[in-house]
Amino acid sequence: MDGLGRLEYRGYDSAGVALVGPSGLDVVKEAGKLSGLRAILEATPPAPATAGIGHTRWATHGGPTTANAHPHRAGHLAVVHNGIIENFRPLREEVEAAGRELVSDTDTEVVAHVLDIDFTSRLRQDPSAASDPTRVADLLVASMQAVTARLEGAFALLAVTDLAPAAIVENFLGSDVAAFVAFTKKAAEVDDDQVLLLTADAVHVWDKDGNAVEPKTWEVSWDASAAVKGGYDTFMDKEIHEQPTAVADTLRGRVDERGELQLDEMRIDPAVLRSVDKIIVIACGTAAYAGHVAKYAIEHWCRIPVEVELAHEF
C-alpha cells in the first residue's frame, strides 16, 4: 500500500490488491482514492499472505467503477495490467465463446481469462503439477510467454496464483522505483517482451523466445522523496519530459488499423456530438494550458467555438 501511495502522483480513479497465501487468493478493490481501499483493508483484514500485487488504475476501457478496477480474477489467477491491449475485441469474443463470463468492460479482464484458459490447459496436461508450486510457476511462465505473444499494444502484466503462493518478501516489481526505493536501493530494468518470475531469493528473466537473460542492474541514488519525481529536480521538469510518452499513451489503443478513433468509453451517439455548438474546457494550472492548445485544435478542425475557463472561477 505504501508503494501504491508513492504512485498517486500519476493520477488514478480506482485501486486494488490481490494477495496469495496458505488460505488462497484474496482480491480487494475499490473505485476512488487509495484511502478508500485502505479503509476497507483495515475494516476487514484479508487472510495472511506471502505475495501480493496491486495497481492504481486510470480508466481506459470501461469507466471508473469497482468492477472495472484491477486486479481482475480468472480461475486461480489474479492479474493487474498497465497499458492498453489493442486487439482485446477479438480476444473478448474468443473468451466469451469459451463460456467465460466477463464482469467488467476492461481489456485487462479479457487478458486474465485468456491467460487462465492457457494455464488451465497446461495444468490438465500435467495434473500432478498442481500440487507442486515450482512446477505451477513454470507453467504460469509458459502461459505468460504464449499469451503475451498474442497481444497487441503496450502492456505490463503481473499475475499471481494461489497454486504457487511463493513468498515475495525480498523482491519487488514496480512501474516506478518510487514504489520500492524505501525498501531497497538495488534495481534491475525490465526490457520489452520479457517475462519474469519473482521469488523471495531470485529473479528469473526470459526473452520472448524463452531464452534466459541477465537484466541490467543499477544502484538507486535517490531517496524516496526524490524518486517520486523520477530523479528530476521538480515535478514540472518531470511532467515536461514525460509529455511525449503521455501523448503516445493517450492515443495508444484508441486508433484502429484504419487510423480512425475508437473512443469506447465515451458511448456518445454521433448525432449528439453533431448537435454540440459550443465547448467549454474547465481546468487549472498546466491542464488549463493544455486546454488552450485543445481550443486551437478543436476550433480549427471542428469549427466549434471553445472557451477555456479556470475551474476555481467557473
Side-chain angles (χ1 to χ4, degrees):
M1 292 302 295
D2 288 344
L4 292 179
R6 293 184 185 278
L7 301 180
E8 282 191 283
Y9 72 90
R10 293 184 166 192
Y12 66 100
D13 49 48
S14 62
V17 294
L19 305 166
V20 288
S23 59
L25 172 60
D26 275 330
V27 174
V28 185
K29 54 187 183 177
E30 179 76 357
K33 293 297 182 183
L34 204 57
S35 57
L37 178 62
R38 285 185 187 276
I40 292 174
L41 291 170
E42 290 170 2
T44 311
T50 53
I53 56 176
H55 190 51
T56 48
R57 173 188 186 252
W58 184 261
T60 51
H61 295 102
T65 65
T66 299
N68 288 334
H70 296 202
H72 287 286
R73 183 168 185 169
H76 285 283
L77 305 179
V79 174
V80 299
H81 162 223
N82 193 21
I84 294 178
I85 307 300
E86 295 176 5
N87 61 332
F88 88 99
R89 293 179 187 85
L91 292 175
R92 184 182 182 106
E93 293 173 1
E94 176 185 315
V95 165
E96 290 176 332
R100 297 291 184 107
E101 182 180 353
L102 298 170
V103 297
S104 78
D105 303 314
T106 67
D107 51 349
T108 306
E109 188 189 13
V110 172
V111 173
H113 280 279
V114 173
L115 184 62
D116 184 60
I117 289 171
D118 186 279
F119 179 58
T120 301
S121 174
R122 294 175 191 273
L123 282 174
R124 287 200 190 103
Q125 295 171 27
D126 188 4
S128 61
S131 58
D132 183 344
T134 300
R135 290 166 68 189
V136 167
D138 290 340
L139 293 179
L140 184 53
V141 167
S143 290
M144 186 67 82
Q145 290 170 326
V147 170
T148 52
R150 301 181 57 199
L151 303 181
E152 299 172 9
F155 50 87
L157 296 162
L158 294 182
V160 290
T161 174
D162 55 359
L163 297 178
I168 305 178
V169 293
E170 297 172 359
N171 282 315
F172 304 85
L173 190 145
S175 52
D176 191 320
V177 293
F180 56 77
V181 72
F183 305 101
T184 178
K185 295 290 187 180
K186 296 179 180 178
E189 292 183 5
V190 182
D191 211 344
D192 289 344
D193 301 319
Q194 289 185 343
V195 175
L196 292 79
L197 173 63
L198 273 67
T199 62
D201 54 5
V203 177
H204 302 282
V205 185
W206 297 270
D207 63 17
K208 63 180 180 180
D209 298 318
N211 301 312
V213 295
E214 198 68 33
K216 174 187 174 185
T217 59
W218 51 291
E219 195 84 9
V220 181
S221 58
W222 319 317
D223 61 19
S225 60
V228 174
K229 292 181 287 199
Y232 292 100
D233 292 335
T234 66
F235 277 111
M236 181 174 288
D237 278 346
K238 180 176 170 62
E239 288 187 1
I240 289 171
H241 286 87
E242 285 181 344
Q243 284 177 5
T245 302
V247 172
D249 287 347
T250 301
L251 291 174
R252 187 175 287 117
R254 292 187 166 96
V255 180
D256 66 15
E257 60 275 4
R258 298 189 302 273
E260 296 181 356
L261 284 175
Q262 298 289 326
L263 302 178
D264 294 343
E265 63 269 30
M266 283 185 61
R267 294 183 175 83
I268 298 177
D269 189 272
V272 174
L273 287 175
R274 292 190 186 98
S275 71
V276 174
D277 55 17
K278 183 178 183 179
I279 295 170
I280 302 175
V281 177
I282 306 166
C284 284
T286 53
Y289 295 130
H292 281 287
V293 175
K295 169 182 167 69
Y296 284 108
I298 294 170
E299 289 184 341
H300 175 74
W301 282 313
C302 303
R303 301 298 179 185
I304 299 173
V306 178
E307 294 180 11
V308 181
E309 302 288 350
L310 294 177
H312 63 277
E313 294 181 356
F314 183 70

